[in-house]
Amino acid sequence: MNLSNLKPAEGSTKNRKRIGRGTGSGRGGTSTRGHKGAGSRSGTSTKVGFEGGQMPLQRRVPKVGFKNPNRVEYTGVNLDVLQGLVEKFSLAAVDFDTLKEHGLVSRNDLVKILGRGELKAKLEVKAHAFTATAQKAIEAAGGTIVKL
């Protein structure tokens, strides 16, 4: 077998519908367009979402909510995750580059330190934002926080 004698599997292909090729073809005459009306003329098309005059779904469904265009989205990193990093890599400071290096954040992320878990290590933590509980826990363990 080579490229010159390849052919599709039996029954996997069909002949296309050839319209407008005479009455003997069964699809001559109006060429599947029906009689008269805009749909039988050339150059006709309907708008996206048009439902034949019925109120379109997009307009039937009520508008809901509000998307704040100025929302700032943070990637959360919990204290137990920081503690895990400290135990595994014996770090004294955690900053954006450290988190990025260990795959916890991406290049354009803003980091927020969250308060789940407990921190035993004395750490200098640099991040864009901190929750109140995280801030207390870091300072209680003898560490410092730096907002970027």
Side-chain angles (χ1 to χ4, degrees):
M1 180 186 286
N2 58 24
L3 289 177
S4 66
N5 60 13
L6 287 177
K7 61 182 184 183
E10 194 66 40
S12 69
T13 60
K14 283 182 172 179
N15 293 335
R16 67 189 187 90
K17 198 184 280 188
R18 296 185 71 221
I19 59 173
R21 291 293 180 269
T23 51
S25 71
R27 296 192 182 88
T30 58
S31 301
T32 73
R33 285 169 172 259
H35 297 281
K36 298 186 185 171
S40 70
R41 323 270 186 222
S42 67
T44 181
S45 64
T46 53
K47 292 178 180 174
V48 172
F50 183 67
E51 298 181 18
Q54 173 177 300
M55 186 61 66
L57 182 68
Q58 187 185 349
R59 290 185 61 197
R60 288 198 304 267
V61 176
K63 293 180 184 175
V64 172
F66 167 74
K67 282 267 199 281
N68 184 358
N70 302 317
R71 176 181 160 83
V72 178
E73 202 154 327
Y74 292 97
T75 300
V77 178
N78 277 294
L79 292 177
D80 54 3
V81 175
L82 294 183
Q83 183 62 37
L85 283 177
V86 169
E87 289 167 4
K88 200 169 183 184
F89 302 103
S90 62
L91 305 170
V94 174
D95 59 357
F96 183 80
D97 294 328
T98 311
L99 296 172
K100 189 176 148 203
E101 200 175 289
H102 294 98
L104 294 169
V105 293
S106 299
R107 191 164 44 111
N108 298 322
D109 287 353
L110 297 176
V111 179
K112 185 170 190 172
I113 306 298
L114 308 174
R116 187 189 71 200
E118 91 180 82
L119 188 67
K120 299 178 191 100
K122 182 181 175 182
L123 266 183
E124 182 190 11
V125 184
K126 295 180 182 177
H128 299 98
F130 296 84
T131 61
T133 52
Q135 190 169 339
K136 281 180 195 164
I138 293 167
E139 288 167 351
T144 56
I145 65 159
V146 179
K147 288 188 180 177
L148 300 176

